[in-house]
Amino acid sequence: MNIKAQLKSSIFLILILASCQRPMPNKSISGVWIQEGYGRIITIKDSTYTYFNTTENSCLPLISNGKLTDRFRIVDFKNDKLILNPGGIVDYGFTRSDKLPEYCVNHNIKKDHSPELNFNILWNTFDKHYAFFEQRNIDWNSVKIEYQENLKNIQSDKELYNLFADILKSFNDGHIRLDVPDSLRVKNVISKKNENRKTKKEVINDIVTTYLNGFKSYNNDLIQWGILKKENIGYIVITDMNNFSNYIPNQDLTAQEFKQEYEKVLETKSGITQLDDELKGVDFAMNKILSDLAETNSIIVDLRFNGGGYETVALKLLSHFIKEQKHILSIKAKNGNNYTNEQEYILNPAKNVYQGKVTVLTSHNTASAAEIFALGTMAYPEIKRFGSSTNGIFSEILWKNLPNGWEFSLSNEVYSDPKGNIYEITGVPPNYETDYPKDRTSFYNSFYKGNEFKDIGIDKIITWHNTVYK
């Protein structure tokens, strides 16, 4: 064999050996996957999965041996990277792991009530996942130093609960919750001073009967709508961002009957199907509403009484009031000392879009998914916002477990507008401000002066509308 032939043979042999040593791409989705930014792990075998919620101390299955396509859509899969979508606007990123961590395989379900252990798990979980220490002016390291001293004196679960409640209350974050046995909670006693306080239902009922020529509703008053008296202005009040699915043809059921029938149907649906049905329900309701209000030249969308729900529902509703595609917001999740990759959300107009002018009413009680609707309107300057700034809690609620069996939640996602501005705490600002009380009861009662009912928000929009457009 000549030198040239020997060289070719040697190169060929090297290439063969290199290809044998190089790991072959893994074409199977089966395996163990670590979720980025949420402290969760998913194991997949064929078409089934188990989803674990983890802390430094625990690894508890949220769902065991479920059908993957009932809970997630596969967005992308490349060897050691997996992207799943649970039916929301945020995609979840996962990295492949060789095996399930030992503490997930042999997790101890025995409760441990040690104050020190439970405090450390709480503190470390917030340290890793909570996204707004700076915005909420929380020195988390100082909290650890201060409260660790108090742990030595804790003698009961009740005392530990009071300590944790004191820590978490300082955040003033409506998405932070502590789920404990009822026996540990202090029962609220309604004072006689509040006997005459108004409820959300009463206020909304007085709005629609006082200001509208007549009104219709959908899904147990989830949405109510009509046309303002003496004005060609439509009015829609949306009280929640879930339960939109068109499951119950009979809209004349009592609230309790409707809830029971709705939940019966809901139990037969997979998680992904439930969310799909919500969006179909939005289109169903909005087609009816926009048909009834088609001759109006302006619409008021009232979100003042809306505490949130599904962000997909909120943005599906918004899509019926916009006329062009836009990047409206971005999302990232806290991931230790860093963040997950930022995701841009592009909103597309619905097939059936309102053609007139749009105004949105907000209050400090407009929260979570409802204020994601408000955040989305900022990309459309033609939509004007009236009222007070929204609540300032945008993230999905991330739930975690403590060794003693308690559960707690926190905000780990950061929502921003296309320019990178964050509205956590401050909320989405209105274009035209009304100084509504922040306290819910005071807010409801502010609609009443003696025996007179008056909605200054609607009155202000009517005046503005007649000044600008007439």
Side-chain angles (χ1 to χ4, degrees), residues 85-273:
N85 185 282
I89 67 172
V90 180
D91 292 334
Y92 291 166
F94 296 80
T95 302
R96 189 187 289 277
S97 178
D98 292 336
K99 61 181 180 178
L100 199 62
E102 184 63 29
Y103 74 125
C104 289
V105 178
N106 298 310
H107 62 273
N108 185 3
I109 60 173
K110 184 179 179 181
K111 293 180 181 179
D112 190 327
H113 292 262
S114 163
E116 290 81 5
L117 175 62
N118 284 277
F119 175 84
N120 287 334
I121 296 300
L122 179 80
W123 192 92
N124 287 324
T125 305
F126 267 83
D127 190 55
K128 184 176 182 179
H129 292 294
Y130 189 71
F132 303 107
F133 290 120
E134 182 179 347
Q135 287 84 350
R136 295 191 178 273
N137 197 28
I138 302 290
D139 186 340
W140 198 228
N141 287 316
S142 294
V143 169
K144 184 174 187 178
I145 295 170
E146 177 185 353
Y147 283 90
Q148 271 185 328
E149 287 298 313
N150 298 338
L151 292 173
K152 300 173 184 177
N153 301 319
I154 297 295
Q155 299 295 319
S156 66
D157 278 353
K158 177 68 173 175
E159 291 178 358
L160 185 63
Y161 166 67
N162 290 336
L163 184 142
F164 283 178
D166 189 41
I167 294 173
L168 300 182
K169 185 179 179 181
S170 66
F171 282 83
N172 193 29
D173 183 335
H175 279 169
I176 292 179
R177 300 170 189 173
L178 184 60
D179 191 2
V180 301
D182 290 340
S183 59
L184 298 179
R185 297 183 182 277
V186 176
K187 293 183 179 180
N188 292 322
V189 178
I190 299 175
S191 67
K192 291 185 178 180
K193 291 181 181 179
N194 290 328
E195 285 180 349
N196 294 323
R197 65 181 181 176
K198 298 296 182 178
T199 65
K200 177 170 75 172
K201 186 176 181 64
E202 288 175 311
V203 177
I204 294 174
N205 183 65
D206 283 337
I207 290 174
V208 298
T209 55
T210 302
Y211 281 84
L212 305 186
N213 283 316
F215 62 92
K216 296 180 182 179
S217 68
Y218 172 73
N219 273 15
N220 193 31
D221 296 338
L222 178 66
I223 304 185
Q224 297 179 68
W225 68 94
I227 299 175
L228 297 185
K229 294 176 181 178
K230 300 179 183 179
E231 306 289 341
N232 192 26
I233 300 175
Y235 173 82
I236 307 169
V237 57
I238 307 169
T239 59
D240 214 328
M241 291 302 181
N242 57 17
N243 297 331
F244 273 82
S245 299
N246 184 30
Y247 291 155
I248 313 299
N250 183 2
Q251 293 285 311
D252 296 325
L253 298 175
T254 65
Q256 185 62 31
E257 290 171 339
F258 182 90
K259 181 180 178 182
Q260 290 175 348
E261 292 300 313
Y262 193 93
E263 288 180 351
K264 276 184 188 176
V265 180
L266 206 60
E267 289 172 0
T268 67
K269 307 282 186 174
S270 69
I272 285 288
T273 302

